Amino acid sequence: MFMKKVIILSLLLGWQFISAQETYHQTKEVANHLNWLTDFNQAKAIAKKEHKPILMLFTGSDWCPPCRAMHNELFPNEEFQRVAKDVVLVMVDFPRRKPMSKEQRAKNDILRRKFHKGGVPTFIAVTYDEKFLGKMGGYRFGHPERNIDFFKQMIEKNKKKTQK
């Protein structure tokens, strides 16, 4: 009887692991469809040309629970994906296990020192000429609407700042 329970428990845990891996790969794919940039200079050029705000996400993609929840809950959200088309997204990642080039890590450190002194996840919004628009830290599990509203507000703020 004991052995039967161990086998059942092992099968359940194995199934959960496989399911979690599938979810991770699906959400990673969704995040990739959002056109995240990692080059801030490229983001500034696009933002200037398309009259869009830049929204930088400071994240710890492979170790931060709220960051991972954002990948699973916010990025796949249809309304978020619609709103995200009106901004230039920049991923400023600080992974602990995932490989990253020294060059990219150095670029991310420069952005962190210049724009962000706090924890992750945090969105920082700026204009193409680096004027501060707003900041939103943290992620409330199960409530992507807070982030979506922030994006909408930054789009409106950018319109007002760039029209002056």
Side-chain angles (χ1 to χ4, degrees), residues 1 4 71 126 146 154 158-159:
M1 185 68 173
K4 187 176 182 180
H71 282 264
V126 297
R146 178 175 169 253
M154 296 305 102
N158 184 66
K159 285 178 185 174

Side-chain angles (χ1 to χ4, degrees), residues 36 55-57 70 122-125 134-136 147 150-151:
W36 290 97
L55 271 100
M56 294 176 278
L57 172 59
M70 197 181 314
T122 299
F123 279 106
I124 304 282
K135 173 182 177 176
M136 187 184 74
N147 296 77
F150 174 75
F151 270 50

Side-chain angles (χ1 to χ4, degrees), residues 84-97:
K85 290 177 183 174
D86 294 326
V87 302
V88 179
L89 296 167
V90 177
M91 180 80 65
V92 186
D93 197 9
F94 297 93
R96 292 183 179 165
R97 294 179 294 275

